[in-house]
Amino acid sequence: MIILRGLEEVRERYQNPVVTIGNFDGVHLGHQALFEKTTERAKELGGTSLAMTFEPHPMRVLRPAVNLPLINTLEQKTRLIEKCGLDVLISVRFDEDFAALSADDFVDKLLVGRLGVSEVVIGYDFAFGKKGLGDAELLRSKEKQSHITTHVVGPVIMEGRPISSTRVRQVVRACDVKTARKLLGRFYRISGKVITGHGRGGRLLGFPTANLKVRDELLPGPGVYAVLAQLESGKRLVGVTNVGKNPTFGDSGLSVETHILDFDEDLYGQDMKVDFVEHLRPEKKFSSAEELVKGISADVAKARKILANFLPG
Ligand SMILES: Cc1cc2nc3c(=O)[nH]c(=O)nc-3n(C[C@H](O)[C@H](O)[C@H](O)COP(=O)(O)O)c2cc1C
Ligand SMILES: Nc1ncnc2c1ncn2[C@@H]1O[C@H](COP(=O)(O)OP(=O)(O)O)[C@@H](O)[C@H]1O
């Protein structure tokens, strides 16, 4: 996949471009349906499939106070879109100037003028252009003049309701990683470098935990989870992850820490990926370290059963 950071990097005229436009945070099954339609149409036209997304997320620019936690970093989103088979990804820099572009200009100057788009694929509720006034109806009304055929996809329904990034955020925050998996078509994943924690896990408790460096990404709600961990080497292992503030030791900052089952290696500095399989229980303030050890032992036993099907080998 060719990755272009900004419209300035578009230097060639693509063959019959079929473009899908969206924020695509999460690359959930609804987004995947758009990518499928886009690659399918590009194939039929012998053209190029393009995804156009915005960076930073428009909500971060237009409503910074909301401080929307994102499901994916641009890096993760890029890799996920690549897996969907797109030829080109353009991440358009979203700033006040871009936000001021009218919906008509978005079509005339950008889609027609800059990209020479043949067909466009958008989600049923997608809005673009100044104040979000551009939509499927506007694209259709301009078809004769723009010579762009419009395809509207979705909604993709899961358990009676449309799949959306907002719904993914809600279920992840509510610890419901099982539903998140259904909406995403894959496990909910957090990745980051392994950093040092408080030095209690191995020495005091007998359960060393690899603590992940996290930034402002969306984290599953506080609690204990059965997980699959993937190391830098690509090796996959089963584990238990605690997302929380370790109240047993007097609340510290929020941490995401994983004890890997049947494993004893130094992981500091490695990039680790954690896939959330199932929520086991809320985080609690135990009366002593011994009680916490009993709690963690029970978590490990439960996780072992749940993850038996995923054990390598
Ligand atoms: C499976 C698992 C469950 C945990 N559950 C709790 C809990 O309910 N309450 C709590 O205070 N800490 C819990 N912890 C976190 C421990 O307090 C933490 O691992 C320990 O303080 C070590 O922290 P460190 O890695 O920063 O040294 C849990 C850890 C794991 C691995
Ligand atoms: N089974 C395991 N699961 C997770 N980390 C392990 C395991 N075995 C060894 N380690 C190593 O031990 C470190 C965690 O030890 P711990 O005593 O919890 O200290 P810290 O407070 O620095 O996290 C991990 O970062 C990793 O390098």
Side-chain angles (χ1 to χ4, degrees), residues 194 196-199 201-202 208-211 258 260 263-268:
V194 177
T196 48
H198 296 95
T209 55
N211 295 46
T258 303
I260 298 173
F263 180 83
D264 182 18
E265 279 173 38
D266 186 346
L267 296 170
Y268 291 122

Side-chain angles (χ1 to χ4, degrees), residues 172 175-182 184 186-191 212 214 217-230 236 239-244 255-258 272-280 306-307 310:
V172 169
C175 309
D176 186 0
V177 293
K178 272 190 163 177
T179 302
R181 182 189 182 186
K182 288 189 199 161
L184 293 170
R186 60 178 189 279
F187 291 115
Y188 188 72
R189 170 174 287 185
I190 300 287
S191 44
L212 282 194
V214 288
E217 65 262 58
L218 175 73
L219 295 180
V224 182
Y225 298 84
V227 303
L228 294 170
Q230 192 178 329
R236 290 177 74 81
V240 274
T241 295
N242 185 56
V243 178
S255 62
V256 179
E257 40 174 334
T258 303
M272 192 168 104
K273 300 183 174 97
V274 175
D275 286 339
F276 289 82
V277 177
E278 197 169 319
H279 179 235
L280 300 177
I306 292 164
L307 299 167
F310 300 101

Side-chain angles (χ1 to χ4, degrees), residues 225-298:
Y225 298 84
V227 303
L228 294 170
Q230 192 178 329
L231 306 184
E232 239 171 47
S233 63
K235 191 169 179 185
R236 290 177 74 81
L237 299 155
V238 297
V240 274
T241 295
N242 185 56
V243 178
K245 297 186 169 176
N246 303 359
T248 306
F249 301 99
D251 283 9
S252 42
L254 190 71
S255 62
V256 179
E257 40 174 334
T258 303
H259 171 71
I260 298 173
L261 274 52
D262 314 316
F263 180 83
D264 182 18
E265 279 173 38
D266 186 346
L267 296 170
Y268 291 122
Q270 272 209 36
D271 269 314
M272 192 168 104
K273 300 183 174 97
V274 175
D275 286 339
F276 289 82
V277 177
E278 197 169 319
H279 179 235
L280 300 177
R281 65 169 173 88
E283 190 185 33
K284 305 197 286 197
K285 182 172 166 54
F286 284 93
S287 57
S288 64
E290 292 72 38
E291 289 304 309
L292 170 60
V293 168
K294 283 187 204 161
I296 297 178
S297 304

